[in-house]
């Protein structure tokens, strides 16, 4: 997965939409703070929901493979 600063506007919007769907919320309520590359093509995302709740997600760019523990 590309770094956030290297993504096009379309790729970033697609990533935001995918993360919002996996967290069952609207795209306007989330902010993708950082994306740390992991082994392979995966990335560790730090997502802030509604300005306060922080989630860590693992994604490969096409799907979210690891959701936060409940």
């Amino acid at each position: 997965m590309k770094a956030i600063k290297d993504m096009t506007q379309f790729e970033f919007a697609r990533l935001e939409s995918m993360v919002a769907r996996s967290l069952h919320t609207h795209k306007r309520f989330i902010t993708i703070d950082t994306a740390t590359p992991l082994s392979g093509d995966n990335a560790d995302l730090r997502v802030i929901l509604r300005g306060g709740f922080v989630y860590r997600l693992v994604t490969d760019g096409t799907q979210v493979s690891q959701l936060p523990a409940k």
Side-chain angles (χ1 to χ4, degrees):
M1 191 173 127
K2 293 181 180 179
I4 290 179
K5 64 180 180 172
D6 297 333
M7 289 184 181
T8 64
Q9 186 176 4
F10 177 77
E11 290 171 331
F12 186 72
R14 185 170 176 245
L15 179 65
E16 273 185 329
S17 185
M18 177 184 56
V19 169
R21 281 193 314 267
S22 67
L23 292 176
H24 305 289
T25 189
H26 294 284
K27 192 167 80 168
R28 67 179 178 259
F29 294 140
I30 66 165
T31 304
I32 298 176
D33 191 34
T34 60
T36 307
L38 298 174
S39 63
D41 202 22
N42 295 338
D44 180 21
L45 299 177
R46 183 174 184 258
V47 179
I48 301 172
L49 179 66
R50 292 187 184 219
F53 300 103
V54 178
Y55 291 97
R56 303 297 293 228
L57 304 174
V58 176
T59 182
D60 63 357
T62 58
Q63 64 182 3
V64 175
S65 60
Q66 184 177 355
L67 291 172
K70 291 185 177 183

